[in-house]
Amino acid sequence: METLLIGVKNSKPAEQAVNPALVLTKPLLIAVYLGLYLVLFASAALLDQGGFIASLWYPPAGLSVFGILAFGWAGVVLDGLANFLSPMLISPLQGKPPTLESLVSSAFLHPLAYGLVLMPLRKWLQQAEFIRQPGRTVGIFLIAALLTATAAAAVGIVRMLALGRAAPDSLVDIGRAWLMGDFIGILIFTPLFLLVLLPRLAPQLSTDLGIGTEAVSATPPGLTSMILLAVTPMLMLSLPSLFGYAEHSPFFALFLLMPLAWVALQWGLESAVTGSVMISSGLVVAAVLFGQQDNVIPYQLIMAAVALTGLLLGILVENRNRLQMQLRDRALRLEDRLSIKDQTLRKLYLESAITEQRLSALIEAAPVGIAQLDPEGHCNYLNPTGLKMARANLEDVLGRPFIDLVHCDHRKKLEQLILASKEEWDDGRVEFCFNNSDRWLVTDWISVTPSAHALVGSILIFVDITDRYDREQRLWNQANFDSLTEPPNRQFFMESLSQCLARAHRNGDVLAILWIDLDGFKAVNDTLGHSAGDILLQEVARRMKGRMRASDTLARMGGDEFAVILYDLAEREMANGVANDLVNLLSQPYLIGNTNCAISASIGISFYPDHARDGEALLRHADMAMYQAKIQGKGRALEWSGEEAIPTVEHTRVQ
């Protein structure tokens, strides 16, 4: 059996519940709800044969649950109004006008019981979309239907006892009849209203009720088909009576599942739910016509089976149809793509020969180096420019690992790039020099992966950046090093100090700052001239650099002032020892031209974390200690301590 789908309608799920005030201000909506409730109530009342039909099903319960799920507390209000008006209008026709107490209690208690059960579950059940989902949401709906019917039965028993309309010994039968009637009514009619009625109410409310995805069949069932479904139960129940098997009538009613399954498979969910209503209605009428008052429970089970079969089979069929539609759409899109790709491939094939010749000529004449490697990193090709950069012959590089051509100091970065290209097919960039050349190259590494299953090699494009590299190095040196004495300048010193302080804070290390000012430098500069002063500063820097460790940082801070960062000190006395060594070194005579010069140095010391925890404070304290050293006679080193600078080991400056 083939179902032809002609369209799929998508609606965005509702983000908020329907405003109850909006529902209660729509006269047409209220009229439709009350009119439908009166019709369902009247049909149940007209078919009621001594309580038998009322216990078999109760259709208004399905409308009540629908109203609460769709409209929230506004549905509770509508249900209360319907429970008040329906008995008042219909019961007099049966010769049993209701009392005011019965009307008021019915209009208040039953809707309230429904609302208390359904409102907590409404966040799962308030949209029609849940009806279309097999599994947990339908299970929640069944549980909600059973709980709602139980609550209604309990409230009904209490109300009848309070009004004196039921004997205690009949409570069990009344409760069972009430519970099963409401449960069957909810199970059969609520899905119908959610799928058929709710979408038609959305324009009336001017809002999105979360209808979900709806599959539309090309030939929906007509009125004749629905009438046949309603008549089928009468035919099924007439057969046992004709052949003398009236007691087996419920068994024959099971065959009603066959036409329902046919409808579900042919037309989908909405038709299956509608068919369930028609078959159940016909079964109720047939039970009355053929006097099946003694088979209440079997017929109720059959009606439940009919409702569940129609609902679940309709859901599965609709999901199957939706998947078929998606597969057909994807097949059409794929066919279009294949057609376009086929045309493109033909065009590319015709142009490939010309393109290959052009590319070959361009690669051979390219002013950049181009290499092609296999997946293991062996060189399969190197163009003339690349051979010139590597200062090698093509025979020497073919089949050889490309990394062997690279300078040993730069191979680690290239090995990491090769590994990344193998594992993740990543592209990358690296700078290196060849073995036989001091020229710097920047290389773009491109992984070649024509399919999603294998790495077939790599393309390298490298450009000579030696001039740029040298220029950037010169600019960096000019920005960070003193052009006269060669040690770093103040800017580099401050950046290094910030990094050292962060590392010392993280590792709990001790750090010292030495602030050095030359004593007597101005006299040499004024006496012998600025050239002699420059030579003297260069010699001072050379002597201090000879005393520093690799982990220490020496910088010229300006004029005749220098600063030192002593990192990773085992003890504070190490800094004092370095300071005293510098005082001794800088106090030695200097030969400038033919003139011996003598100067000294005053040094201030501050420690992290004892004296300060930030760089500016440490430098300030070291500077204050240096000035104290000058006040105390120059040519010495002092450690900062509060307002006083405490002298280290006594030092006598060499004259």
Side-chain angles (χ1 to χ4, degrees):
M1 182 179 304
E2 182 179 359
T3 301
L4 176 63
L5 300 180
I6 62 172
V8 175
K9 179 178 69 178
N10 294 317
S11 299
K12 182 180 178 181
E15 298 179 355
Q16 297 180 348
V18 179
N19 187 350
L22 179 63
V23 174
L24 297 176
T25 56
K26 296 291 183 177
L28 180 59
L29 175 62
I30 296 174
V32 169
Y33 185 93
L34 294 179
L36 187 58
Y37 196 97
L38 286 172
V39 171
L40 295 176
F41 187 88
S43 65
L46 292 174
L47 292 173
D48 190 353
Q49 300 293 318
F52 164 66
I53 301 301
S55 64
L56 189 60
W57 72 340
Y58 186 65
L63 181 60
S64 299
V65 172
F66 159 75
I68 295 174
L69 293 182
F71 311 129
W73 289 112
V76 176
V77 174
L78 289 175
D79 189 49
L81 184 59
N83 271 278
F84 182 82
L85 294 177
S86 299
M88 187 169 61
L89 296 176
I90 303 300
S91 296
L93 300 178
Q94 297 179 314
K96 297 181 293 185
T99 63
L100 180 61
E101 294 84 353
S102 175
L103 288 174
V104 173
S105 61
S106 175
F108 176 74
L109 294 178
H110 283 279
L112 181 60
Y114 275 32
L116 292 176
V117 172
L118 293 175
M119 289 304 293
L121 300 175
R122 188 169 176 259
K123 66 179 179 179
W124 290 291
L125 304 178
Q126 67 180 1
Q127 298 174 352
E129 178 67 16
F130 88 92
I131 288 292
R132 304 181 187 275
Q133 303 297 326
R136 186 171 67 93
T137 50
V138 173
I140 294 175
F141 169 67
L142 296 178
I143 294 173
L146 184 59
L147 293 177
T148 304
T150 303
V155 169
I157 291 173
V158 172
R159 183 171 66 87
M160 294 180 70
L161 284 175
L163 296 175
R165 302 182 65 179
D169 56 355
S170 63
L171 293 181
V172 175
D173 292 337
I174 293 175
R176 183 195 60 78
W178 208 311
L179 186 149
M180 291 302 297
D182 279 24
F183 180 72
I184 298 297
I186 295 170
L187 201 60
I188 293 175
F189 284 91
T190 298
L192 176 69
F193 295 142
L194 286 172
L195 293 171
V196 177
L197 182 59
L198 185 58
R200 290 157 178 79
L201 294 179
Q204 175 69 13
L205 295 174
S206 301
T207 185
D208 182 3
L209 296 176
I211 308 306
T213 305
E214 181 181 4
V216 183
S217 69
T219 55
L223 180 61
T224 303
S225 300
M226 291 295 103
I227 293 176
L228 288 176
L229 286 178
V231 173
T232 301
M234 301 180 189
L235 297 176
M236 288 293 181
L237 293 187
S238 66
L239 294 176
S241 300
L242 291 175
F243 294 101
Y245 296 102
E247 67 275 10
H248 300 299
S249 295
F251 173 78
F252 282 84
L254 288 174
F255 288 98
L256 295 173
L257 295 175
M258 297 176 63
L260 178 62
W262 179 78
V263 168
L265 292 173
Q266 183 72 20
W267 291 296
L269 180 59
E270 283 81 356
S271 298
V273 172
T274 305
S276 299
V277 173
M278 301 305 294
I279 289 177
S280 300
S281 301
L283 187 60
V284 171
V285 175
V288 174
L289 294 178
F290 295 102
Q292 296 291 323
Q293 287 86 344
D294 296 331
N295 293 319
V296 174
I297 294 178
Y299 282 122
Q300 287 178 333
L301 294 177
I302 291 171
M303 293 173 69
V306 168
L308 288 175
T309 299
L311 180 61
L312 296 179
L313 189 57
I315 290 173
L316 294 177
V317 170
E318 180 160 315
N319 280 274
R320 180 206 66 183
N321 294 343
R322 189 177 297 120
L323 290 175
Q324 287 179 345
M325 174 67 74
Q326 293 174 356
L327 289 175
R328 291 176 185 177
D329 289 344
R330 291 180 182 178
L332 291 174
R333 290 197 298 269
L334 181 59
E335 185 177 349
D336 292 340
R337 291 177 183 175
L338 289 176
S339 177
I340 294 173
K341 287 186 177 181
D342 181 63
Q343 296 176 8
T344 303
L345 288 174
R346 290 187 180 188
K347 183 178 179 180
L348 291 175
Y349 178 77
L350 294 175
E351 296 176 352
S352 60
I354 299 174
T355 302
E356 184 177 355
Q357 293 177 358
R358 291 176 179 174
L359 288 176
S360 178
L362 288 173
I363 292 173
E364 291 291 326
V368 298
I370 300 176
Q372 190 270 323
L373 310 183
D374 65 15
E376 301 302 322
H378 295 83
C379 186
N380 291 338
Y381 173 77
L382 188 60
N383 73 340
T385 303
L387 291 171
K388 183 178 180 181
M389 292 177 175
R391 297 180 182 177
N393 298 319
L394 184 60
E395 296 78 9
D396 298 331
V397 301
L398 290 181
R400 181 180 177 184
F402 184 81
I403 198 169
D404 291 348
L405 305 175
V406 177
H407 194 280
C408 59
D409 293 340
H410 307 155
R411 291 181 181 177
K412 185 175 182 180
K413 293 185 292 184
L414 199 61
E415 287 174 348
Q416 294 174 350
L417 192 58
I418 293 175
L419 182 61
S421 69
K422 288 181 179 180
E423 295 181 352
E424 303 178 6
W425 307 343
D426 278 350
D427 300 338
R429 171 171 288 196
V430 67
E431 296 179 0
F432 67 88
C433 294
F434 281 119
N435 276 329
N436 301 325
S437 174
D438 58 354
R439 306 293 293 179
W440 278 93
L441 308 173
V442 60
T443 300
D444 288 306
W445 188 291
I446 305 171
S447 298
V448 181
T449 54
S451 67
H453 304 288
L455 173 70
V456 299
S458 304
I459 300 294
L460 277 66
I461 302 175
F462 35 91
V463 180
D464 191 324
I465 59 167
T466 304
D467 294 339
R468 191 196 76 188
Y469 187 86
D470 292 342
R471 183 169 61 255
E472 291 176 352
Q473 190 65 34
R474 287 195 301 272
L475 292 174
W476 190 85
N477 289 336
Q478 291 173 6
N480 294 279
F481 286 85
D482 182 63
S483 59
L484 176 63
T485 61
E486 293 185 357
N489 56 19
R490 175 184 286 271
Q491 176 180 327
F492 185 92
F493 180 85
M494 296 304 295
E495 293 176 357
S496 298
L497 178 58
S498 177
Q499 296 173 4
C500 289
L501 286 174
R503 191 162 66 251
H505 175 72
R506 187 168 55 250
N507 301 332
D509 295 333
V510 177
L511 179 149
I513 299 293
L514 307 184
W515 189 274
I516 305 164
D517 186 86
L518 302 181
D519 305 322
F521 172 77
K522 186 175 183 304
V524 174
N525 204 38
D526 293 343
T527 302
L528 302 180
H530 292 293
S531 297
D534 291 345
I535 295 173
L536 178 58
L537 288 175
Q538 292 171 347
E539 179 62 20
V540 167
R542 185 188 65 78
R543 292 186 185 184
M544 287 194 293
K545 284 168 59 178
R547 177 60 183 84
M548 296 296 104
R549 302 172 301 173
S551 60
D552 300 333
T553 301
L554 167 69
R556 183 187 178 195
M557 306 301 284
D560 59 347
E561 292 182 321
F562 294 83
V564 176
I565 303 173
L566 300 177
Y567 186 77
D568 193 18
L569 298 174
E571 55 185 11
R572 291 174 54 167
E573 288 304 319
M574 292 177 62
N576 293 326
V578 172
N580 287 321
D581 288 346
L582 292 178
V583 170
N584 285 324
L585 284 172
L586 300 181
S587 299
Q588 303 299 322
Y590 299 85
L591 180 62
I592 302 177
N594 297 321
T595 305
N596 283 322
C597 301
I599 63 172
S600 62
S602 297
I603 301 177
I605 310 171
S606 63
F607 289 94
Y608 169 90
D610 295 346
H611 296 156
R613 291 182 174 270
D614 65 273
E616 293 293 339
L618 285 171
L619 289 174
R620 185 170 61 254
H621 295 161
D623 184 54
M624 293 171 62
M626 180 273 295
Y627 276 108
Q628 190 66 27
K630 284 184 176 291
I631 292 173
Q632 293 188 15
K634 303 180 180 180
R636 65 190 64 211
L638 293 180
E639 176 184 334
W640 184 85
S641 179
E643 296 182 357
E644 297 294 334
I646 302 174
T648 63
V649 179
E650 284 295 331
H651 167 72
T652 303
R653 178 164 59 87
V654 178
Q655 301 296 329

